[in-house]
Structure formats: C-alpha cells, structure tokens
Amino acid sequence: MRTDDRKLVTIVTEAALERHLADDLKRLGAHGYTVSDARGEGSRGVRAARWDASSNIRVEVICDDATAEKIAAHLRAHYYDHYAMVMYFSDVGVLRPEKF
Amino acid sequence: MRTDDRKLVTIVTEAALERHLADDLKRLGAHGYTVSDARGEGSRGVRAARWDASSNIRVEVICDDATAEKIAAHLRAHYYDHYAMVMYFSDVGVLRPEKF
Amino acid sequence: MRTDDRKLVTIVTEAALERHLADDLKRLGAHGYTVSDARGEGSRGVRAARWDASSNIRVEVICDDATAEKIAAHLRAHYYDHYAMVMYFSDVGVLRPEKF
Amino acid sequence: MPDLDPIVLFFIFGLVAGLMRSELRLPTAVYELLSVVLLLAIGLKGGVELAKQSPGSLLPQMIAVILMGLALPLAAYPALRALGRLTRVDAAAIAAHYGSVSVGTYAVAVAWLVSREIAFEAYMPLMLVLLEMPAILVGIMLARGISAETNWRLLAREVFLGKSIVLLLGGLLIGWAAGPVALEPVSALFFDLFPGVLALFLLEMGLVAAGQFGSLRRHGFFLVGFGILFPLFGAAVGGTLGWLLGLSIGGTMLLATLAASASYIAVPAAMRIALPAANPALSLTASLGVTFPFNILVGIPIYQRLAEFLHGPGV
Amino acid sequence: MPDLDPIVLFFIFGLVAGLMRSELRLPTAVYELLSVVLLLAIGLKGGVELAKQSPGSLLPQMIAVILMGLALPLAAYPALRALGRLTRVDAAAIAAHYGSVSVGTYAVAVAWLVSREIAFEAYMPLMLVLLEMPAILVGIMLARGISAETNWRLLAREVFLGKSIVLLLGGLLIGWAAGPVALEPVSALFFDLFPGVLALFLLEMGLVAAGQFGSLRRHGFFLVGFGILFPLFGAAVGGTLGWLLGLSIGGTMLLATLAASASYIAVPAAMRIALPAANPALSLTASLGVTFPFNILVGIPIYQRLAEFLHGPGV
Amino acid sequence: MPDLDPIVLFFIFGLVAGLMRSELRLPTAVYELLSVVLLLAIGLKGGVELAKQSPGSLLPQMIAVILMGLALPLAAYPALRALGRLTRVDAAAIAAHYGSVSVGTYAVAVAWLVSREIAFEAYMPLMLVLLEMPAILVGIMLARGISAETNWRLLAREVFLGKSIVLLLGGLLIGWAAGPVALEPVSALFFDLFPGVLALFLLEMGLVAAGQFGSLRRHGFFLVGFGILFPLFGAAVGGTLGWLLGLSIGGTMLLATLAASASYIAVPAAMRIALPAANPALSLTASLGVTFPFNILVGIPIYQRLAEFLHGPGV
Ligand SMILES: Nc1ncnc2c1ncn2[C@@H]1O[C@H](COP(=O)(O)O)[C@@H](O)[C@H]1O
Ligand SMILES: Nc1ncnc2c1ncn2[C@@H]1O[C@H](COP(=O)(O)O)[C@@H](O)[C@H]1O
Ligand SMILES: Nc1ncnc2c1ncn2[C@@H]1O[C@H](COP(=O)(O)O)[C@@H](O)[C@H]1O
Ligand code: NA
Ligand code: NA
Ligand code: NA
C-alpha cells in the first residue's frame, strides 16, 4: 500500500480549552482535527471527568511536519505552563496527502 | 521487549456508518476493532456531535499488512466520495501476533 | 522539531478494570495515563457498551522503554488469560522527556 | 400575548443563546432521553385513542394521508430541480425531508391547541407515523429510478427500524394494548412531564438550529425561500385534505402542520445510507435552519387560521 | 388481560425491537440515571417502613433470609456441576448470580401487586438488600475454597461498595432517618415517576436481553433449562420461607420472586474481580437472556399463585 | 430533628460514599441535566415574581447587591495574601470564587425555608444572577491590574455566556415573559420535580466534595480556616445588607447565604481562561471541599438565626 507520510499530533488537555484549541489549530494551518472526551492522571493530579472542571479532551491532528512544528511551538508557549496538558507526535501514513 | 509488527488502521467518520463499518471490517478479515465517540472538523465542516447526524466515531483496527490494504481499498472505494471520513495507518507492536 | 523518543502503550480492556489498572500503572512507574470510553469486538465477542458489564475503556500511557516493558509483563501475567484485553506499543516523540 | 407559549420561548432562548455562541449545550445523552420520552408519549397517547376506534373505521383517512405522503415529495422535487438548480440526488433527498414530518413541530402544534382548549382528533399520532415513511421511498426512487440495484431489504431495515419510527410505533401499540386505565401509573412520566420535556427539547433544538444558520449563507438563499414557501404550500394541501376528510378544525390544523413540517431525524438518517451522494448539509440547513423555526415561530398560528378559514364562518 | 401490565409491554417492546436488530438504544448515561432512581426509590420506600418497626422485631426474618441467601447457591452449585458439566469456577459464579437477586424483577413484582391492590410487607426492600450479598461470598468460597490467598478486604470493598448496594442502603438509611413527611417534597421524583422510570428501564432491559439470545445457542441449552427450572425451585424455597415467617400473601410472593430472580448488576461486577476465570458470558446469558425474561413474562403470576396456594384456601 | 432535611441527607450520603471510595458516580450527562433543570427552575421562579414588581422598584436593591458583589472579593483578597501567603493571582482567583455565589447552596437554603414555611422575597433569583458576575471582574483586576493587555471582550464572552449565567438569565426572562399561568404546563418538570432533582444533585456534589478532601491536606489548613470563616463574615455582610434593604427574615437569610456561598461552576470556568496562572486546585478545594459542605451542613441554620437576630425580637 502506497501511503504518504504525515505527522499525527495528539494533545490531552483540559476540556475548558476545546474551543480555544480548535481556533488555534485552524489558524496554525491544520485542515481538521478530531476530539474525544477523556479523563486521566498526570502531574496536575487526577482529572476524573466527574464534571466540566475535571474533564479532559483528547485532540488529534493529522498534518505535515511544518504545521506540527507550529502547533508544538504555539501550545508550548501558550499552555504548557498553566494547563494540564500532554502532547506527543507520531508518524502516520495517509492515502490523500493533499487533504492534510 | 520482543513485539511483532502490525498495522494500526484508524478511521474517523460519521457515526451513522458504525454498523456498516463493523460488518465490513469483519468481512475483510479483521479479528476485532475498537470504537469510541468523537467530534471534529474537516473538509465537510464542523461535526460537533450535538446529535446523531453530526456525531463522529473513531474506529481502530489492529491487523496485518494485507488486511490493512484490503480495508484501505474498500473504504476508499465505498465511502471516501460521499462521507466525512479520514483514515490513517501506523506501525505498532503487539505481543500476541496470532491474535491480529 | 527536536523531540525525544518514548513508548506509547495503548490498552483496550473491560471498564471494570479501570481502577485496578490505574493503580497498577502508577505502581509500575508510569507518570500518568489517559482513559476514554470505548466499545468494540474481539475474541471475547461484542462489547457494545450498553451497560457497565459490556463497556470497554481505552487507556494510553506514555513512558520510557523500561516502564513499557514492565507494564507489558504485568498485564500479560495478570489479565491476558481472563479479561477481554488488547495491548499495543508505538513510538512517539515528546517535547519534555523529563515528564514521562 | 397568547402566541408566546413558554415552550416557544424556550426555543427562542436556545436560538438566541446559540447565535451568541454561548457555551450552553445539552449532552447528547440528554437529547436522546428527551426524544425517547417525547416519541413514546406521542405514541402512547395515540394508541390509547386508537383502541377506542372501531377497527377499519380509520382506513380511508389512513390511505388518504399515505397518498399525501407520496404526493408531497413529488411536488417538491421539480421545484427543487428547476428553481433551485440542484442535482438530481440533492433534490430527491430534500423532497424526502419535506414529504416526511417533524415530530417536534407536531408536539408544539398539539401544545398550542391544548393551551387554547381547541379539540382535535386524538388519533393524529397515527397519521404522524404514517407520514414518516412514504416520502423516504419516493425520494429514493426519484434519485435512483426503480433500479434492480437498490437493496430494498436493507433500506427497509434502515427506514422501518430507525429509532423514531420504532418508538412511535412501540408507543402506539403499547397504548393500544394497555388502554388508558393501565397507563395511569406511567402517566406522571409520559403525560405530566411532557410539556417540560418538550420545553427542554426545544431549547436544544434552538441551539442546534442556530448552528445551522452559518451554512445558510454558504448554501444560497434559495433554501430560505423553499424552506418557507414549500411549508405554506404543504399546509394548504394538508389543510384541504383534513377538511375533505371531515376532520375538526384542530385536526385540520394538525394535518396542515404535519404536511408543512420537514423531517430532521428519521429522513436524514435514512438518506445518509440510501442516498450517500446527497449533501446532508443542504437538507438539514433547510429543514432545521429554516423550516423548523419558521413553523414554530410563525407557521403554527397561520395553519390554525387556515383551518378556521377552510371550515368556514359557520363553525 | 390483566397480565399485560404496561411495564411488561415495555419489556416486550424492547425485546422485539432488539430481536429485529433495530437501531434503538438508550445511552449508557440514561440507563444509569434510571437505575439510580429505581434503586434509591426502592431504598427510600423500604426505609420509611423500617422506621415504623420496633427495633429488633425484624431480626428473625432477617436472619432467615440471609440463611436462604447462603443456601440457594449451595443448592445451585451441584446441579451446575453435575448436570451442566461446568467447570468449578463457572458453576460457582452462576450459583452466586442465582443466590443473589434482581432489583428489576423485584420492582416489576411490586408493581404487579400494587396494580392488583394486593398488600405486602412494606419492609421487603430490606430483604432485597440482605439477599444481594451472601451468595457472592458463597460463590467465591465454592470456587476457591477458604484459602488464605483470597484478599477478603479488597473483595469486601468491591461487594459492599458496588453501586447497587450503596444506593439501596443509602436510600434505606435516608428513608429511615427522614420519615414519610420529610420525604414528601422528593416524592414527585422518586415515587410518582417510579412506574414510568421502571417502564423505560424495562425497555432497555428488553433490548439488552435480546442481545443475549445470540449467545444462547453457543452456550448450549442446558442454560435455558437451568435458567427456568432453578427459579421455580428458588420460588418454592422462598415462598415456603415466606409462609413459615408468617408473611402476607403479597410478601410471600415477593420473597418467592426474590429467590427466583438472578442478579445481573451487582454479582457480575463482583465476579469479574473476584473470579476472573469465570466466563461472564455464561452467567449473563442465563441470568439476563433466560431468567429475567422468564420471571417478568411468566414467573411473577406463577409465584403469586404459589403464594396463594401456600396460604391455603382459608385466606 | 428538623435540621436533617432529606436533601441534606442525600448530600451526607454522597459525602460518605465518596469518602469510602465507593464506585458510585453519576454520569456527567446526568449531572448536566440536573444542573440545567435546577438553573432554569430557579430562573423561572424568579422571573414569574419579577413580572409582578413595578419596573424600577427593585433598582435600589439591585445596585446594593451588585456593590456587595464587588466589595466581598476586595475584602477576601488581603486576607488571602496576608494570612494565607498566597501568590497574587491565586489570592485573586479565590477572592473571585468567594465574592460570587453557589446556586446549589442557594437552592438548599430555599428548600430549608420552604419546608419551614418561612416567607422570603420571591425575586431573590434576580439577586443570585446579579451576584454571579461582579466578583469575577474584580478578581481579574486584582490579578492583572486594569491593564490594556486584557482582552475584555473575550473575557466578557466567557463570563456572560457561561452555561450557568445563560440558563439563569434565560429562565428569568422566560418566566417574566410567560407569567405563572402559561408556565403551568411545565411546572411538573421545573417545580414539582425540583426537590428530587436537587436531592440527586446534592448526592453527586457530596461525591465530588469527598474527592476534594484528599487535596485538603496537601494545600494546608489555611484553606479550611478561610473556607469557614470567610463565609461567616460574608453572611454577616449579606445579612446586614438584607436587613438594611428591608428584606423579610427569609430574604435576609437568603442574602446572607448568597454572600456566604462560594462559586464552583461559573467562576472556576471563567478563571481557567482569564487567570490561567491561578491554581484551580486551591480554589476548588476551598469552595467545594470546605465551604459548600460547611454551608449545607452547618451554615444555613446559623444564617437563619443571624437573620432572626438582625430583625430583632419584635418580629
Ligand atoms: N504519561 C502520561 N501518559 C498518558 N497520558 C498522560 C500522561 N501524563 C499525563 N497524561 C494526561 O494528560 C493530562 C494532563 O497531564 P498533566 O499536565 O501531567 O497533569 C492528564 O490528566 C492525563 O490525562
Ligand atoms: N487533519 C485532520 N486531523 C484529524 N482529524 C481530522 C482531520 N481532518 C478531518 N478529521 C476528522 O475526520 C472527520 C471527517 O473529515 P472530513 O471528511 O474532512 O470532513 C472530521 O469531522 C474530523 O473529525
Ligand atoms: N484487532 C483488533 N483491533 C482493534 N481492537 C481490538 C482488536 N481485537 C480486540 N480489540 C478490542 O479489544 C477488546 C477486547 O478484545 P478481546 O480480548 O479479543 O475480546 C475488544 O472488545 C475490542 O474493543
Ligand atoms: Na411534510
Ligand atoms: Na435468587
Ligand atoms: Na459569596
């Protein structure tokens, strides 16, 4: 199967940021994103999703390297210090490179 | 850790397709699949999961290369034109190769 | 973008294990984990998440190789025989290696 | 201000909150709980009344209503093709939406009549059920022709076993089998709470409808025109039929409302599977973004006056 | 047709919709809301009555009922081993399910009595709570022996702090502490809505039970036989005990129903942790796919006749 | 034991179940449904009463209450800085929480008055709405100064369009526009069910509050002291203001309770966006883990006695 390489950026963070993140991602050049609800634990303690303030979201963006870099830089600068947030990058293959 | 290589196929698409996709995947040789609810944005606009018609699902299948190829071909042929859908492939390691 | 390599361990299993798994993961050295609700099908049949007993969870842990190995060994020893469970490993890049 | 029923105020509230991009939203699970209660309650009420009818006595009305369900999409289709310059499949899909019905609109119309103590035929939920499906079949045939390729069995499954039809039918049958006395214990949930549940449902529908306004601009103003004018035409057809069938003023108004309403639950789901090439944004924008608010805010009182007009001054 | 209570019709409706593979399903969150309300309501009702009893007066009944909860799984186990040729751990797990009780079945039996105006001891929810747990302990001991290895503290946590027991107990204590007058304001939710909530719950249980039918074939028809015959045996035991304890006809029928019912919430959850080697498909197929429908559709009227028979013609 | 209202028992039940680490929890969707119903119901009730007031007659009270909402965080801030040695931004965020109000606490206080048949000014929900917001603005200014950098437009959106304010305001307006007669049909959901919905809500709040106890130890006992003493100070301020404004005893008690309560919905959400550097664990631990339980279990009867004391023996 011939696929093209893209980056998958996965972000786990506070649900309160959903709207802000969506705006950021589009501004930074992502063509789309996927969100699901999550809960978890990390350096900022347990976030058990019992209610809004303790809920996480898990955001995925498939994009090219340059966009991934821009997203990484932006989130690091604006959110890492003050928000429960984890971000990681992986390599994925896609069939329609023009789409991402 | 000794792991065997498999493909992870991830599909994000309209919730209305869940049953159809599950049937397709099994027919194409997948031994299993995992579904979670999602929302997102892409070329077909915002899908905010406010109700059935605007809900996405995120489907994951771990399988061998041949099955991944068959799934890719089938979804591309049957769904890409008319449905909100994104598919990507990545390499994962598993402990029980006979299971996937 | 300079990232450090880490392992992403993904586990799909019965929702009943959530609390136990969370305790296990922390004991084995994971610094955090993320959980979302899931459903699916596998060798133990359809788990459609209609109610507690048929619900799955999808757990993700970002950690170093050694911790991944310990998690793999522990889950294989304690849960593989009796629980609906799938686990796979992939390589991801992170920005703050000290965090994981 | 008798026009401002509180449930309509809830709809306006949702609309305004949505247009101001408030964070407000009801969880999907709550939306589904509300619709399950609404659909079952409407079915139960209709079923209780059905049991009182002598079997077969409603057959003529039922056949006439089904024929109307087949005719409405046939009338909508050429308009959508010629005036809207839509593709065959898009025109067919929208026609199916407008030939079918909206349960939410029906419920608001019933509440409107009840609060004004206007009587109507209590078996109307049966007509609601009968109108859900024929337009879907017509829409599919308009798009595909009666081709051998169509997997009708699979389609029938999607259509007849969709949530809303199953709940309406289930409610009808339970109401019919149990009768009013046996239903007494469940009436606190299905009947006493009904207006409140409808209010919350309309709040969410307002939020959803507001979300559709954005796509109005993108899809051209033809949809706005169609989404207002076709319901008025439908109401004329439905009202006339109701009058011909000898319905009361309230019943005539309800049949006009049903004909004027456009589906946004059962038909979109069926079209997604049966006519995947149809752009769902077009039909939902029209049905949810234009016709639903129009009917709730403006249409229902018009259809009542229409019914009064048809029944003449003597009544 | 006094047997066709509307709540039973809701169950049949769910069953049929499920068997036809309809898209209908209630969201998990709704299912949980319904069960929370049911469990709290049952607890509250029982607690209010408990407060009226002089302390200690119920002790003999309580001890007898706990003994029955210990005895029933001991009776089921050899049958499952010998006739069903099940492994030790599977037999033990199923025995635990059948020694414990089903809250849904209890609620339907109560509704059945109420709609027929048959009196029963209002403290029966206490017996329900007492019957939830002993069978779980017996099941674990049957599977493992009384081994030092078993982490009893952890198990006790799982069992006593499981959702259903906590809610029943919490309801009991609140009802007992508050009394009927103070509960007046919350009665609209917990008492007036109860039958409607139960109806929706049974609709979902019908859908779930239908989903279990598929595995019936796979797991052999022994489970069908056991899932029908053991409840009849259990009902005989429970009914006789109720009669010996001097319960009213209604109370006797409820104790028979409790003994006949099989758990599908508390016990599966506990078994998954305590006896992971037990195949949950076996016990759920029997309890949800066979016994629950059997009790709802056929068993309850039988247990009433049994209670009448035990109390003799003089009553 | 008139102090043990059943809704308070539900809170204690949740607290105990949470402390025992029971599996019990309500799904997020259910929690949201409950809060939507509570907020709308409170708004509707207040709106109906507002309609009875001559326009403008409440203006003095409204202005006084807004001034109190601005003053309370200004009083809390120095205490938090000097005694708690908190950073500027953390002190400002906590001050905002305590200057604003808790809808749950208000609802319990109202239920407390109703069950004791103590009258109060029915327009109090308006004061609740007015008190939600000023403290947020003060908190932001305390943390940032009145800097040009602050994006006030974006902040206003977050604050005014947050869920709880939108629902309260929407309810107020609908109640005001519809009036009591038109609201009759929806009263089964919004008024009859209110105490039961509040009971379930408090059950979940008990579970959540129990979850905050763990962080109490980590964040030092200063928070415990502040979370108890500042509410008492707030109650004194609110009660005195109520008495000065000529409110009834019940109204005085409610204004004291509002001043004593700390926000745990609207303010945390706004602070997360407006003051991300503030540690949300601190403010939530104080507001949910200390002040909410304190007010529910101990504070409300105190505030009633305070109101009686202020009104003197003659009343
Ligand atoms: N090592 C990890 N692996 C997976 N998810 C994590 C990890 N650490 C943190 N998370 C997730 O990211 C959220 C925020 O993390 P933190 O900022 O460390 O509190 C947590 O609530 C978890 O859902
Ligand atoms: N670049 C992307 N990254 C992640 N998810 C995406 C991306 N593009 C689309 N999606 C997801 O796939 C769904 C369908 O995409 P589309 O067909 O482009 O509308 C969207 O609703 C998103 O949930
Ligand atoms: N091949 C697969 N790909 C993705 N998910 C799987 C696969 N097999 C199983 N699963 C998931 O893992 C759960 C347990 O699998 P099993 O133990 O095989 O029944 C299933 O319910 C699925 O959610
Ligand atoms: Na129509
Ligand atoms: Na039993
Ligand atoms: Na306050």
Side-chain angles (χ1 to χ4, degrees):
Chain A
M1 178 170 44
R2 281 238 9 242
T3 61
D4 288 83
D5 291 345
R6 285 291 178 276
K7 280 279 175 227
L8 170 66
V9 185
T10 306
I11 306 152
V12 179
T13 191
E14 308 183 12
L17 291 182
E18 180 162 350
R19 227 181 235 194
H20 299 263
L21 269 187
D23 291 347
D24 291 352
L25 292 173
K26 282 188 289 182
R27 204 164 16 75
L28 296 168
H31 296 187
Y33 58 85
T34 296
V35 183
S36 35
D37 294 318
R39 51 193 177 275
E41 187 166 350
S43 59
R44 290 183 189 250
V46 176
R47 299 186 51 78
R50 296 201 81 118
W51 54 323
D52 289 2
S54 78
S55 295
N56 282 345
I57 49 171
R58 185 181 180 281
V59 184
E60 284 177 316
V61 189
I62 308 157
C63 56
D64 56 28
D65 282 23
T67 310
E69 208 133 338
K70 271 195 276 177
I71 294 173
H74 180 82
L75 298 202
R76 194 188 343 212
H78 286 78
Y79 298 108
Y80 266 30
D81 286 348
H82 298 315
Y83 291 96
M85 182 176 280
V86 153
M87 172 165 43
Y88 59 86
F89 307 86
S90 45
D91 296 307
V92 299
V94 299
L95 296 177
R96 295 170 294 183
E98 71 286 359
K99 188 172 165 60
F100 301 101
Chain B
M1 180 169 42
R2 282 239 8 243
T3 60
D4 288 83
D5 291 344
R6 284 292 176 276
K7 281 279 175 225
L8 170 66
V9 185
T10 307
I11 306 152
V12 179
T13 191
E14 309 184 12
L17 291 182
E18 180 162 350
R19 227 181 235 194
H20 299 263
L21 270 186
D23 291 347
D24 291 351
L25 292 173
K26 282 187 290 181
R27 207 165 13 77
L28 295 168
H31 296 185
Y33 57 85
T34 296
V35 183
S36 35
D37 294 319
R39 50 193 177 275
E41 187 165 352
S43 58
R44 291 184 187 249
V46 177
R47 299 184 52 78
R50 296 201 81 118
W51 55 323
D52 289 2
S54 77
S55 296
N56 282 346
I57 48 172
R58 184 180 180 283
V59 183
E60 284 177 316
V61 188
I62 308 156
C63 55
D64 55 28
D65 282 25
T67 310
E69 206 133 338
K70 273 195 277 177
I71 293 173
H74 179 81
L75 298 201
R76 191 184 351 208
H78 285 79
Y79 299 108
Y80 265 31
D81 286 348
H82 298 315
Y83 292 96
M85 181 177 280
V86 153
M87 173 165 44
Y88 60 86
F89 306 86
S90 45
D91 297 308
V92 298
V94 299
L95 297 177
R96 294 170 295 181
E98 71 286 358
K99 189 172 165 59
F100 302 101
Chain C
M1 179 170 42
R2 281 241 7 243
T3 60
D4 287 83
D5 291 343
R6 285 291 177 276
K7 280 280 176 226
L8 170 65
V9 185
T10 307
I11 307 151
V12 180
T13 190
E14 308 184 12
L17 291 182
E18 179 161 349
R19 229 181 233 194
H20 299 263
L21 270 187
D23 291 346
D24 291 352
L25 293 173
K26 282 187 289 181
R27 204 165 16 77
L28 295 168
H31 296 185
Y33 57 86
T34 296
V35 183
S36 35
D37 294 319
R39 52 193 177 274
E41 187 166 349
S43 59
R44 291 184 186 247
V46 177
R47 300 185 51 79
R50 296 202 80 119
W51 54 324
D52 289 2
S54 78
S55 296
N56 282 346
I57 49 172
R58 185 181 180 281
V59 183
E60 284 177 316
V61 188
I62 309 157
C63 55
D64 55 28
D65 282 24
T67 310
E69 207 132 340
K70 273 195 276 176
I71 294 173
H74 179 81
L75 298 201
R76 188 177 3 200
H78 286 79
Y79 300 108
Y80 266 30
D81 286 348
H82 299 315
Y83 292 96
M85 182 176 279
V86 153
M87 173 166 42
Y88 60 86
F89 306 86
S90 45
D91 297 308
V92 299
V94 300
L95 297 177
R96 294 170 294 182
E98 71 285 0
K99 190 172 164 59
F100 301 102
Chain D
M1 240 183 358
D3 278 355
L4 283 188
D5 281 325
I7 48 175
V8 175
L9 290 171
F10 277 89
F11 181 70
I12 297 174
F13 170 35
L15 221 48
V16 172
L19 289 175
M20 296 174 73
R21 291 193 20 110
S22 145
E23 299 276 350
L24 185 59
R25 61 169 288 180
L26 297 189
T28 322
V30 169
Y31 171 83
E32 293 198 22
L33 172 61
L34 299 174
S35 18
V36 165
V37 172
L38 288 183
L39 290 161
L40 282 175
I42 291 174
L44 288 171
K45 261 221 171 100
V48 166
E49 293 305 319
L50 266 190
K52 298 185 190 155
Q53 308 289 326
S54 74
S57 70
L58 289 176
L59 217 60
Q61 278 101 317
M62 289 167 66
I63 292 169
V65 158
I66 289 175
L67 289 176
M68 181 178 84
L70 295 167
L72 281 173
L74 290 173
Y77 180 75
L80 289 158
R81 286 286 274 167
L83 304 177
R85 295 169 188 282
L86 294 170
T87 65
R88 178 169 175 179
V89 66
D90 278 331
I94 300 181
H97 284 72
Y98 280 82
S100 183
V101 290
S102 146
V103 175
T105 312
Y106 172 82
V108 174
V110 166
W112 198 93
L113 292 175
V114 167
S115 80
R116 280 157 191 76
E117 301 185 356
I118 301 171
F120 58 93
E121 283 72 15
Y123 55 72
M124 290 304 288
L126 178 64
M127 305 304 159
L128 173 69
V129 174
L130 292 176
L131 278 170
E132 286 249 24
M133 289 167 284
I136 298 178
L137 303 178
V138 174
I140 295 172
M141 287 199 265
L142 283 169
R144 300 198 186 172
I146 314 183
S147 80
E149 257 183 74
T150 310
N151 185 339
W152 288 101
R153 252 199 61 217
L154 204 129
L155 276 183
R157 276 191 49 76
E158 296 289 335
V159 173
F160 285 94
L161 297 180
K163 275 186 220 180
S164 57
I165 289 174
V166 166
L167 286 167
L168 278 173
L169 264 181
L172 266 180
L173 290 173
I174 294 175
W176 176 79
V181 178
L183 283 183
E184 198 55 53
V186 300
S187 68
L189 176 60
F190 290 113
F191 302 148
D192 300 354
L193 283 194
F194 188 86
V197 168
L198 182 58
L200 283 183
F201 180 82
L202 286 173
L203 167 55
E204 174 69 9
M205 290 310 299
L207 291 164
V208 171
Q212 301 290 329
F213 286 180
S215 35
L216 266 184
R217 241 162 303 152
R218 218 174 319 137
H219 294 299
F221 282 90
F222 167 72
L223 286 185
V224 179
F226 180 82
I228 291 176
L229 294 179
F230 192 79
L232 291 174
F233 166 75
V237 174
T240 309
L241 181 63
W243 176 70
L244 288 173
L245 291 172
L247 297 186
S248 65
I249 291 187
T252 305
M253 179 272 217
L254 283 180
L255 199 57
T257 303
L258 284 173
S261 75
S263 170
Y264 50 81
I265 300 182
V267 181
M271 289 297 114
R272 218 54 210 108
I273 302 302
L275 299 181
N279 180 356
L282 290 180
S283 33
L284 277 177
T285 301
S287 140
L288 258 182
V290 181
T291 303
F292 186 73
F294 172 75
N295 279 333
I296 300 297
L297 299 176
V298 184
I300 286 175
I302 298 181
Y303 309 149
Q304 171 64 14
R305 253 166 265 158
L306 172 72
E308 286 165 5
F309 170 79
L310 286 164
H311 281 260
V315 198
Chain E
M1 242 182 356
D3 278 355
L4 282 188
D5 281 324
I7 48 174
V8 175
L9 290 171
F10 277 89
F11 180 70
I12 297 174
F13 170 34
L15 221 47
V16 172
L19 289 175
M20 296 174 72
R21 291 192 19 111
S22 144
E23 299 275 351
L24 185 60
R25 60 170 288 179
L26 297 188
T28 322
V30 170
Y31 171 82
E32 294 199 20
L33 172 60
L34 298 174
S35 18
V36 166
V37 172
L38 289 183
L39 290 162
L40 282 175
I42 290 173
L44 287 171
K45 260 219 172 101
V48 166
E49 294 305 319
L50 265 190
K52 298 186 192 155
Q53 308 290 325
S54 75
S57 70
L58 289 177
L59 216 62
Q61 278 101 316
M62 290 168 65
I63 291 169
V65 158
I66 289 175
L67 289 176
M68 182 178 83
L70 295 167
L72 280 174
L74 291 173
Y77 180 73
L80 290 157
R81 286 286 274 168
L83 304 177
R85 294 169 188 282
L86 295 170
T87 65
R88 179 170 175 177
V89 66
D90 278 331
I94 301 182
H97 283 71
Y98 279 82
S100 183
V101 290
S102 147
V103 176
T105 311
Y106 173 82
V108 174
V110 166
W112 198 93
L113 291 175
V114 167
S115 79
R116 280 157 191 77
E117 302 185 357
I118 301 171
F120 58 92
E121 283 72 14
Y123 55 71
M124 289 303 288
L126 177 65
M127 305 305 159
L128 175 68
V129 173
L130 292 176
L131 279 170
E132 286 248 24
M133 289 167 285
I136 298 178
L137 303 178
V138 174
I140 295 172
M141 288 199 263
L142 284 170
R144 300 198 185 174
I146 314 182
S147 80
E149 259 183 73
T150 309
N151 186 340
W152 288 101
R153 253 200 60 219
L154 204 129
L155 277 183
R157 277 192 48 76
E158 296 291 333
V159 172
F160 285 93
L161 297 180
K163 275 184 219 181
S164 57
I165 289 174
V166 166
L167 285 167
L168 279 173
L169 263 181
L172 266 179
L173 290 173
I174 294 175
W176 176 80
V181 179
L183 283 183
E184 199 55 55
V186 301
S187 68
L189 177 59
F190 289 112
F191 302 148
D192 300 354
L193 282 193
F194 188 86
V197 168
L198 181 58
L200 283 183
F201 180 82
L202 286 173
L203 168 54
E204 175 68 10
M205 290 310 298
L207 291 163
V208 170
Q212 301 290 330
F213 286 0
S215 35
L216 266 185
R217 243 162 300 154
R218 218 175 317 137
H219 294 299
F221 283 91
F222 167 72
L223 287 185
V224 180
F226 181 82
I228 291 176
L229 295 178
F230 192 80
L232 292 175
F233 167 75
V237 173
T240 309
L241 181 62
W243 175 70
L244 289 173
L245 292 172
L247 297 186
S248 65
I249 290 187
T252 305
M253 179 271 217
L254 283 180
L255 198 57
T257 303
L258 284 174
S261 75
S263 169
Y264 50 81
I265 301 182
V267 181
M271 289 298 114
R272 219 54 209 107
I273 302 302
L275 299 181
N279 180 356
L282 289 179
S283 34
L284 277 177
T285 300
S287 138
L288 258 182
V290 180
T291 304
F292 186 74
F294 172 75
N295 279 333
I296 300 298
L297 299 177
V298 184
I300 285 175
I302 297 181
Y303 309 149
Q304 170 65 12
R305 254 167 263 158
L306 172 71
E308 286 165 5
F309 170 80
L310 286 164
H311 281 258
V315 198
Chain F
M1 236 180 6
D3 278 355
L4 283 189
D5 280 325
I7 49 174
V8 174
L9 290 172
F10 277 89
F11 180 70
I12 296 174
F13 170 34
L15 219 49
V16 172
L19 289 175
M20 296 174 73
R21 292 193 17 111
S22 144
E23 299 275 351
L24 185 60
R25 59 170 287 179
L26 297 189
T28 322
V30 169
Y31 171 83
E32 294 199 20
L33 172 60
L34 298 174
S35 17
V36 166
V37 172
L38 288 183
L39 289 162
L40 282 175
I42 290 173
L44 288 171
K45 263 226 170 93
V48 166
E49 293 305 318
L50 266 190
K52 297 185 194 157
Q53 309 289 327
S54 74
S57 69
L58 290 177
L59 217 60
Q61 279 101 318
M62 289 167 66
I63 291 169
V65 157
I66 290 175
L67 289 176
M68 182 178 84
L70 295 167
L72 280 173
L74 290 173
Y77 180 75
L80 290 157
R81 285 286 275 166
L83 303 177
R85 296 171 187 281
L86 294 171
T87 65
R88 178 169 176 180
V89 67
D90 278 331
I94 300 181
H97 283 72
Y98 280 82
S100 183
V101 290
S102 147
V103 176
T105 312
Y106 173 82
V108 175
V110 166
W112 198 93
L113 291 175
V114 167
S115 79
R116 279 157 192 76
E117 301 185 357
I118 301 172
F120 58 92
E121 283 71 14
Y123 55 72
M124 289 303 290
L126 178 64
M127 305 304 159
L128 174 68
V129 174
L130 292 176
L131 278 170
E132 286 250 23
M133 289 168 285
I136 298 178
L137 303 178
V138 174
I140 295 172
M141 287 198 265
L142 283 170
R144 299 200 186 170
I146 314 182
S147 81
E149 257 182 75
T150 310
N151 186 340
W152 288 102
R153 253 200 60 220
L154 203 129
L155 276 183
R157 276 191 48 75
E158 296 289 335
V159 172
F160 286 93
L161 297 180
K163 275 184 217 181
S164 57
I165 289 173
V166 166
L167 285 166
L168 279 173
L169 264 181
L172 266 179
L173 291 173
I174 293 176
W176 176 78
V181 179
L183 283 183
E184 197 57 54
V186 301
S187 68
L189 176 60
F190 290 112
F191 302 148
D192 300 355
L193 282 194
F194 188 85
V197 168
L198 182 59
L200 283 183
F201 180 82
L202 286 173
L203 168 55
E204 175 67 11
M205 291 310 298
L207 291 164
V208 170
Q212 301 290 329
F213 285 0
S215 35
L216 266 185
R217 241 161 304 153
R218 218 174 319 136
H219 295 299
F221 282 90
F222 167 72
L223 286 185
V224 180
F226 180 82
I228 290 176
L229 294 178
F230 192 79
L232 291 175
F233 167 76
V237 174
T240 309
L241 181 62
W243 175 70
L244 288 173
L245 292 173
L247 297 187
S248 65
I249 291 187
T252 305
M253 179 271 218
L254 283 181
L255 199 57
T257 303
L258 284 174
S261 75
S263 169
Y264 50 80
I265 300 182
V267 181
M271 288 299 114
R272 219 53 209 108
I273 302 302
L275 299 181
N279 180 356
L282 290 179
S283 33
L284 277 177
T285 300
S287 140
L288 259 182
V290 181
T291 303
F292 186 74
F294 173 75
N295 279 333
I296 300 298
L297 299 176
V298 184
I300 286 176
I302 297 181
Y303 309 149
Q304 170 65 13
R305 253 167 265 159
L306 172 72
E308 286 165 5
F309 170 80
L310 286 164
H311 281 260
V315 198

